Amino acid sequence: MACNSTTDQPQNANITSKSFGTLPSGEEVTQYIMTNNQGMEMSVITYGGIITSLTAPDKAGKYEDIVLGFDNLEGYLQDGVPYFGALIGRYGNRIAKGKFTLDSTEYELAINNIGNHLHGGLKGFDKVNWSAKEVEYADGVALELTYLSADGEEGYPGNLETKVTYQLGNDNTLLIDYMATTDKKTVVNLTQHSYFNLSAMKEDVLNHQLMVNADHFLPVDSTLIPTGELRPVEGTPFNFTEMKKVGADVNQENQQLTYGLGYDHCWVLNEGAGKMDLAAKAYEPNSGRTLEVYTSEPAIQVYTGNFLDGTLTGKGGTVYNKRTGLCLETQHFPDSPNQPEFPSTELNPGEKYESQTKFVFGIRE
Ligand code: BGC
């Protein structure tokens, strides 16, 4: 292929790696820098499988970082970092009172969020050091992360063999492929916790427009556990069936918004589980950046960074205030192990947990 000297974009997709520091345990953390043939770049560290940076073009073709995170490992090791960019497991979102029962055995998990279990516990998949290797992908680059979660880890039953592949496509897409198997009946609900800001942190996310392909959402109690009701979004601030500013209704008088300090809820996707369907779309008018989310999961947690309070300073000295980021976490419903009417999150020996989510980055002029 002829080399175009007027562009600084790489001709070939590639992955490079370097050390990102050492954990207190002595384990080395590696950072993988994945670049597609458009020049889009995504950095991933083995610690937590965290996406530390991800660039996407604006309408002028300028690639800028659109995710929250830190410049170095120390940033991620601070207390109270709210899962920036991390892989979440074994169970994304909440399990009421940290308890569930499988085949009449009750399992007890850590209580780490207002009386409930959140995002896999005290040392969830966001805080373990994954093994990583580059794998073949013809239309871009791919990185495979694996982790064996031992039987009883964080209170969950079964040895869980987990594999997550990040596939960065030359068409500016990121496909995340999750796979897990167990040797004992267990529950699994994996997700990715990137905080997006399509303005590249120039403003908060209230001006982003959002569409969520869902006619229902899951109302929660005051501790953010679903009540079991599937409530129509129509006529409520939770109606994102048409593109609407994130900030349009977020300050309305509404008990659900009070409980979440804004949007921190699970929307029930219209297309259901199983095959890849459109879950959500976001658009930031100043940059022109768009983000579409497709998933095989039945639901998406939309979280508008309500608990960010300016105490964390991230990459390049940016202070992370309330609503600096927007999380679009594809998943099964929260608290499914205790709510039999919800789609099951159980995994049996011999079965394969499989889930896929695709983020498509684009522009609208
Ligand atoms: C939860 C929020 C939580 C955030 C960071 C989100 O997935 O829904 O309630 O504050 O993660 O921990």
Side-chain angles (χ1 to χ4, degrees):
M1 193 196 275
C3 182
N4 180 352
S5 59
T6 60
T7 172
D8 57 2
Q9 291 172 0
Q11 291 291 306
N12 295 112
N14 66 83
I15 301 189
T16 59
S17 63
K18 61 179 188 209
S19 172
F20 198 67
T22 309
L23 293 171
S25 62
E27 287 168 275
E28 176 87 9
V29 176
T30 304
Q31 182 174 49
Y32 290 84
I33 299 143
M34 308 169 69
T35 312
N36 75 5
N37 73 359
Q38 306 297 307
M40 181 170 180
E41 194 183 283
M42 174 167 114
S43 297
V44 175
I45 55 173
T46 48
Y47 179 71
I50 293 172
I51 297 175
T52 54
S53 66
L54 173 65
T55 70
D58 68 5
K59 58 190 171 195
K62 187 172 177 203
Y63 281 77
E64 289 176 299
D65 190 6
I66 55 156
V67 294
L68 275 56
F70 299 101
D71 288 317
N72 53 40
L73 186 59
E74 289 65 44
Y76 290 100
L77 297 179
Q78 296 172 86
D79 281 343
V81 173
Y83 308 92
F84 287 153
L87 289 175
I88 307 292
R90 296 186 184 192
Y91 200 97
N93 219 317
R94 294 172 173 81
I95 296 178
K97 301 188 169 54
K99 283 186 185 161
F100 65 95
T101 302
L102 289 176
D103 295 339
S104 50
T105 304
E106 187 178 80
Y107 294 95
E108 279 210 44
L109 311 169
I111 305 287
N112 57 343
N113 188 263
I114 39 172
N116 300 313
H117 178 82
L118 175 69
H119 293 336
L122 300 176
K123 190 177 176 190
F125 288 3
D126 59 296
K127 293 186 187 65
V128 302
N129 205 26
W130 294 66
S131 299
K133 66 168 192 214
E134 183 176 350
V135 288
E136 201 58 40
Y137 175 45
D139 295 316
V141 279
L143 186 74
E144 180 185 286
L145 298 166
T146 48
Y147 178 65
L148 169 62
S149 175
D151 187 15
E153 188 174 284
E154 289 295 319
Y156 291 96
N159 289 296
L160 192 77
E161 299 242 24
T162 316
K163 184 162 91 183
V164 179
T165 308
Y166 286 128
Q167 193 174 286
L168 183 67
N170 289 332
D171 53 353
N172 287 359
T173 58
L174 167 62
L175 178 79
I176 310 178
D177 186 89
Y178 304 86
M179 222 269 295
T181 53
T182 185
D183 58 3
K184 198 171 178 183
K185 189 173 194 162
T186 191
V187 295
V188 191
N189 190 24
L190 306 179
T191 190
Q192 222 290 337
H193 210 294
S194 283
Y195 288 66
F196 295 101
N197 183 321
L198 301 179
S199 80
M201 276 52 86
K202 292 187 181 61
E203 50 182 272
D204 63 30
V205 296
L206 292 177
N207 207 29
H208 284 46
Q209 292 181 21
L210 181 69
M211 188 283 295
V212 184
N213 190 12
D215 293 336
H216 296 85
F217 77 106
L218 301 178
V220 290
D221 67 16
S222 62
T223 71
L224 304 182
I225 294 292
T227 60
E229 179 192 349
L230 274 62
R231 188 175 292 174
V233 295
E234 206 183 316
T236 77
F238 293 81
N239 190 353
F240 283 95
T241 51
E242 310 267 319
M243 276 286 196
K244 179 176 88 177
K245 267 192 190 178
V246 169
D249 299 326
V250 76
N251 293 320
Q252 268 192 31
E253 195 65 36
N254 176 286
Q255 191 185 48
Q256 287 298 312
L257 291 174
T258 304
Y259 285 161
L261 290 186
Y263 298 111
D264 189 3
H265 292 78
C266 196
W267 270 254
V268 179
L269 295 171
N270 288 337
E271 309 298 339
K275 61 179 185 42
M276 292 288 268
D277 280 302
L278 182 66
K281 269 189 206 177
Y283 166 60
E284 196 282 303
N286 292 323
S287 65
R289 287 192 181 93
T290 59
L291 168 58
E292 289 173 2
V293 186
Y294 296 81
T295 190
S296 61
E297 287 296 307
I300 189 167
Q301 179 87 3
V302 177
Y303 171 58
T304 46
N306 312 325
F307 300 109
L308 298 175
D309 59 5
T311 53
L312 292 170
T313 299
K315 288 177 278 188
T318 306
V319 175
Y320 294 145
N321 288 308
K322 191 169 175 177
R323 313 211 204 284
T324 309
L326 173 67
C327 299
L328 298 167
E329 306 156 47
T330 53
Q331 57 191 243
H332 270 56
F333 303 2
D335 199 33
S336 300
N338 295 308
Q339 306 213 25
E341 317 74 40
F342 287 175
S344 174
T345 50
E346 288 178 12
L347 183 71
N348 291 293
E351 294 174 351
K352 221 186 220 181
Y353 169 91
E354 282 176 301
S355 169
Q356 285 200 329
T357 292
K358 188 175 190 174
F359 296 99
V360 178
F361 303 93
I363 47 162
R364 200 204 285 175
E365 298 293 340

